[in-house]
Amino acid sequence: MSASAAQLVHAALTRIREIAAPELQSWRGQCAVLVGVREPAEYATGHIEGAINIPRGVLEFEIQASAELENVTDPALAVRDRPLVLYCRSGGRAALAADSLGQMGFTRVVSLAGGIGAWREGGGAVVMR
């Protein structure tokens, strides 16, 4: 049996926790690491201040500083019980990423419901660099 991307996201949403854009500030107060899982070109068009960019396609490898990526990772990601907030454009990739990280033993991972789109619609600022 095969599944569509939408079905995979729906299944992931049953296993993860999502937070709404207004809740992001309380997570940031817990020293959460904000991870944008969009592609670098998307990240460059605007991202939430303080976010690090780890594209969905390499997340599982980079989060553990794998040899495949020349052992490059952010030291903030070494602690598996550190709060992580993942976001993408609309929420699907972040949900899949949160589900995957949960399977890898990360215990405090949430996905930003609606992604950066919901963040912007709620008046959240973005930065470009």
Side-chain angles (χ1 to χ4, degrees):
M1 179 178 153
S2 62
S4 68
Q7 290 169 322
L8 291 173
V9 169
H10 179 73
L13 288 170
T14 67
R15 296 184 293 266
I16 68 159
R17 179 169 174 222
E18 281 190 301
I19 62 168
E23 293 177 77
L24 181 56
Q25 289 308 327
S26 68
W27 274 78
R28 293 181 99 173
Q30 299 176 47
C31 297
V33 177
L34 184 59
V35 181
V37 298
R38 298 178 300 152
E39 294 298 312
E42 292 174 284
Y43 182 82
T45 66
H47 57 275
I48 301 171
E49 187 166 6
I52 60 173
N53 182 223
I54 305 177
R56 171 74 190 103
V58 296
L59 179 69
E60 293 83 355
F61 297 102
E62 190 163 330
I63 202 108
Q64 289 189 314
S66 71
E68 291 89 346
L69 292 170
E70 300 174 357
N71 297 314
V72 175
T73 194
D74 188 306
L77 301 173
V79 180
R80 289 185 186 259
D81 64 350
R82 181 145 192 197
L84 298 175
V85 179
L86 309 180
Y87 76 92
C88 61
R89 184 182 57 81
S90 61
R93 286 177 283 179
L96 293 171
D99 188 39
S100 183
L101 292 183
Q103 292 176 52
M104 293 176 72
F106 289 84
T107 60
R108 297 178 67 194
V109 180
V110 297
S111 174
L112 181 60
I116 197 167
W119 174 254
R120 284 179 167 156
E121 286 174 16
V126 297
V127 296
M128 294 190 212
R129 285 186 220 141

